[in-house]
Amino acid sequence: MRLCVFCGSSSGQDPIYFAVARSLGETLAVQGIELVYGGASVGLMGAVADAALEKGGHVIGVMPQALVDKEIAHRSLGDLRVVGSMHERKALMAELSDGFIALPGGLGTFEELFEVWTWAQLGYHRKPCALLNAGGFYDKLTDFLDDVVERGFVKPIHRAMLIVEEEPAALIAAVRAYEPPKVDKWIKAGER
């Protein structure tokens, strides 16, 4: 199994984010799950990759040449795949992965998560999408998503597709147990 982890190139202000990123990397490696991630040596990206490597895990980094040129590529990776653009990066990460986990991060992390979750909603893939809610980082987002359901813009079945856990082991167990919903159409004729 390979899981793609989206996360910040920053470590954030709360040390729990870094600690949970390392814990996730270790847990993936110990469970024999390969890590696919953005290929950086810095921030939470570096933390999750370093921890997986230290425990003997296999790590695949995917990074556009422009970021490699800025010298943030993780030089200890045995498998760094250099691509031409961010679009190619996301496509390759999705192709290589059996599921997706978002750790704390910024705009790129949010965009990557929402894109793969949207693809799942549309039926382009049947892979699990998950949030590792370290230190309550995603509490306001999950509250907002619940409100969006209440306002009729996201169906409860699609909201339920996003797994949310606070600990790496529980998250990986939920990802392993994920069963995609059986939905023929996401919008029925005549619905608004």
Side-chain angles (χ1 to χ4, degrees):
M1 175 179 247
R2 284 183 183 156
L3 291 177
C4 180
V5 175
F6 303 128
C7 57
S9 58
S10 169
S11 295
Q13 295 179 341
D14 190 330
I16 194 169
Y17 308 143
F18 190 85
V20 169
R22 285 197 53 84
S23 179
L24 177 61
E26 291 171 358
T27 304
L28 291 171
V30 167
Q31 292 193 23
I33 300 169
E34 295 182 12
L35 168 64
V36 176
Y37 85 116
S41 61
V42 295
L44 298 187
M45 282 202 242
V48 71
D50 287 343
L53 290 168
E54 288 165 15
K55 290 291 183 179
H58 183 75
V59 178
I60 301 169
V62 183
M63 182 174 277
Q65 183 65 54
L67 294 179
V68 172
D69 293 343
K70 292 183 184 213
E71 298 183 359
I72 62 169
H74 199 303
R75 300 296 177 190
S76 297
L77 297 181
D79 193 349
L80 176 64
R81 302 187 189 188
V82 179
V83 295
S85 70
M86 292 297 281
H87 292 293
E88 290 175 57
R89 177 196 223 178
K90 292 186 300 178
L92 182 56
M93 290 169 76
E95 179 185 320
L96 291 170
S97 302
D98 299 307
F100 309 93
I101 297 171
L103 282 165
L107 298 176
T109 301
F110 307 149
E111 187 267 338
E112 290 165 331
L113 172 71
F114 277 93
E115 183 172 61
V116 295
W117 186 21
T118 300
W119 291 348
Q121 175 202 4
L122 295 172
Y124 293 167
H125 70 75
R126 299 175 53 80
K127 302 173 185 180
C129 300
L131 292 174
L132 186 47
N133 192 21
F137 182 83
Y138 284 113
D139 286 349
K140 290 180 182 177
L141 176 62
T142 57
D143 289 347
F144 172 71
L145 293 171
D146 293 339
D147 187 56
V148 172
V149 171
E150 289 297 316
R151 293 173 187 259
F153 285 96
V154 173
K155 295 189 177 299
I157 195 166
H158 297 132
R159 168 64 181 88
M161 293 169 74
L162 184 63
I163 299 164
V164 182
E165 292 289 346
E166 295 180 7
E167 298 295 329
L171 183 79
I172 291 170
V175 164
R176 286 186 187 273
Y178 177 75
E179 293 286 334
K182 294 175 175 68
V183 179
D184 290 334
K185 291 184 179 180
W186 58 285
I187 298 178
K188 295 180 180 149
E191 280 188 338
R192 296 183 200 194

